[in-house]
């Protein structure tokens, strides 16, 4: 009958009305969805496995996003593992900038005045930064955020070789993702060849005529004539030495002398020897001869071979100069002699000084 039909379709109409009402209600409910951060990056100070690398994380907030009191930013280091030593607020810095180009401004932690911090721990640690009203006010409408982490023993070592995700999230309204690559360091090897430089800029030293009333000093060059006073810096012969040997170098000196084992100035025409001796005589007291070093720079003169030294030349090699480690320097080689009034006259008194440099690698 008619009443049953009306009742039947009335129920259907009621059900349809309820469905439409629910759909309408769902359509007008606002859906909140986090905005996307942009420009995310994490720059590692060292990309090698197990290294305690520092992190420099940057991102740009969405145009509609600002940070407010008690809002958080979280950083999740996926597949990293925080060690037994907790990270503290002093390990981190928060900075902000207007354009991401100029120098970022530090947002000081100031014992929690601007932001507070909660450390992560264990696997895939999450580090939480909670901002105060003061901190949010300082950031204001600036969109560029930088968070740096200075690592330390027992904290956040790099994982094994691979690519790892860092999630940027929190209650501030944006989310972002960046990645870091952990790679084995590229080994670079090289061999540095051993080197030695050793030279003497003058190989002829001349006394000229030696008087009986004063010491005579050599000057550089054949027939240069010698002098009654010491030659100046760099004279009469300058030695230059350099080596990259870790043990430096040593230099020895010896006299050929008479060729029979006696050091000194020898005259083959008279078979007379002005012997190498010490101390060197003055004013004709003895006939003696000495070689020595002076004006050393970067080179050490072995004690006894200074201008006032007391070491006599011999025909066997004696330590003369040294450089303690890899290095370089210069020093002057000189000689002086004296005679008596009975020293046999001759024009062929000569000696050859043999100087040998030996690096220690």
């Amino acid at each position: 009958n008619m009443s049953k039909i009306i009742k039947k379709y009335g129920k259907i109409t009621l059900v349809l009305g309820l469905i439409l009402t629910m759909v309408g209600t769902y359509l007008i409910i606002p859906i909140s969805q986090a905005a996307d951060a942009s420009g995310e990056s994490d720059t590692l100070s060292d990309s090698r496995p197990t290294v305690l690398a520092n992190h420099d994380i940057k991102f740009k907030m969405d145009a509609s996003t600002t940070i407010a009191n008690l809002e958080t930013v979280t950083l999740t280091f996926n597949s990293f593992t925080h060690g037994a030593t907790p990270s503290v607020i002093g390990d981190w810095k928060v900075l902000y900038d207007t354009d991401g180009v100029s120098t970022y401004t530090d947002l000081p932690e100031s014992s929690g005045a601007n932001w507070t911090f909660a450390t992560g721990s264990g696997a895939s640690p999450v580090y939480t930064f909670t901002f105060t009203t003061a901190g949010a006010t300082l950031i204001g409408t600036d969109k560029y955020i930088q968070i740096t982490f200075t690592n330390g023993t027992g904290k956040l070592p790099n994982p094994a070789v691979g690519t790892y995700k860092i999630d940027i999230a929190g209650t501030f309204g944006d989310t972002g993702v960046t990645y870091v690559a952990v790679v084995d360091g590229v080994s670079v090897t090289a061999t540095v060849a051993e080197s030695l430089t050793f030279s003497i800029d003058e190989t002829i030293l001349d006394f000229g005529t030696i008087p009986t009333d004063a010491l005579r000093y050599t000057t550089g060059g054949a027939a240069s004539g010698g002098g009654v006073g010491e030659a100046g810096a760099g004279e009469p012969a300058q030695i230059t030495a350099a080596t990259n040997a870790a043990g430096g170098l040593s230099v020895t000196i010896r006299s050929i002398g008479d060729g029979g084992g006696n050091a000194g100035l020898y005259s083959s025409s008279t078979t007379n020897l002005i012997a190498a001796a010490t101390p060197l005589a003055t004013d004709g007291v003895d006939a003696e001869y000495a070689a020595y070093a002076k004006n050393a720079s970067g080179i050490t003169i072995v004690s006894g071979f200074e201008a006032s030294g007391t070491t006599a030349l011999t025909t066997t090699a004696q330590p003369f100069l040294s450089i303690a480690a890899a290095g370089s320097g210069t020093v002057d080689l000189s000689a002086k002699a004296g005679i008596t009034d009975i020293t046999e006259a001759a024009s062929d008194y000569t000696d050859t000084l043999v100087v040998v440099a030996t690096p220690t690698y």
Side-chain angles (χ1 to χ4, degrees):
N1 59 28
M2 183 61 67
S3 62
K4 289 182 179 180
I5 293 172
I6 293 172
K7 187 175 181 180
K8 175 182 176 181
Y9 284 103
K11 290 180 178 179
I12 293 172
T13 302
L14 178 61
V15 171
L16 289 173
L18 290 173
I19 291 172
L20 291 171
T21 301
M22 293 174 64
V23 171
T25 303
Y26 176 79
L27 290 174
I28 64 173
I29 293 174
I31 298 173
S32 177
Q33 181 178 357
D36 290 330
S38 60
E40 303 98 316
S41 67
D42 180 7
T43 303
L44 296 175
S45 64
D46 194 322
S47 63
R48 293 173 296 166
T50 74
V51 171
L52 295 165
N54 299 333
H55 292 257
D56 182 357
I57 297 167
K58 292 181 178 179
F59 62 91
K60 180 186 178 184
M61 293 187 289
D62 183 76
S64 62
T65 302
T66 56
I67 292 177
N69 182 40
L70 299 182
E71 288 188 336
T72 63
V73 172
T74 60
L75 300 177
T76 303
F77 287 77
N78 296 280
S79 299
F80 281 70
T81 299
H82 193 104
T85 304
S87 175
V88 296
I89 196 167
D91 297 336
W92 299 83
K93 278 190 174 185
V94 177
L95 306 97
Y96 59 96
D97 190 40
T98 58
D99 57 14
V101 177
S102 55
T103 302
Y104 281 70
T105 301
D106 185 17
L107 183 67
E109 160 269 320
S110 301
S111 301
N114 294 316
W115 53 278
T116 59
F117 170 75
T119 187
S121 63
S124 297
V126 180
Y127 305 90
T128 304
F129 306 82
T130 303
F131 294 87
T132 65
T133 298
T137 300
L138 287 172
I139 295 173
T141 58
D142 289 348
K143 301 300 179 186
Y144 292 86
I145 301 297
Q146 177 181 13
I147 299 176
T148 66
F149 172 52
T150 301
N151 219 328
T153 302
K155 296 187 178 179
L156 190 66
N158 286 346
V161 170
T163 302
Y164 298 91
K165 182 176 71 165
I166 290 90
D167 288 314
I168 301 167
T171 63
F172 76 109
D174 289 358
T175 59
V177 171
T178 187
Y179 289 85
V180 292
V182 177
V183 297
D184 282 321
V186 178
S187 177
V188 180
T189 63
T191 298
V192 176
E194 297 87 350
S195 70
L196 172 66
T197 299
F198 190 82
S199 63
I200 304 176
D201 68 354
E202 179 58 73
T203 56
I204 299 176
L205 305 184
D206 183 34
F207 278 112
T209 300
I210 303 175
T212 59
D213 60 350
L215 287 176
R216 192 75 172 175
Y217 294 83
T218 56
T219 52
S224 58
V228 295
E230 178 67 79
E235 298 293 339
Q238 187 175 71
I239 294 172
T240 299
T243 183
N244 64 356
L249 62 80
S250 59
V251 179
T252 60
I253 191 170
R254 69 185 181 95
S255 166
I256 294 298
D258 64 3
N262 301 302
L265 288 169
Y266 179 66
S267 167
S268 59
S269 64
T270 63
T271 67
N272 187 53
L273 181 75
I274 301 175
T278 184
L280 188 64
T282 60
D283 298 333
V285 176
D286 288 303
E288 294 179 345
Y289 153 72
Y292 59 95
K294 62 185 181 69
N295 296 322
S297 175
I299 293 178
T300 299
I301 302 171
V302 173
S303 179
F305 275 109
E306 305 91 344
S308 58
T310 57
T311 300
L313 286 166
T314 64
T315 56
T316 57
Q318 297 180 88
F320 182 46
L321 308 168
S322 68
I323 297 178
S328 63
T330 59
V331 66
D332 299 339
L333 171 64
S334 189
K336 54 187 174 180
I339 60 171
T340 69
D341 55 6
I342 60 171
T343 301
E344 292 184 64
S347 61
D348 62 345
Y349 281 95
T350 63
D351 184 28
T352 298
L353 299 174
V354 178
V355 181
V356 177
T358 305
T360 302
Y361 292 98

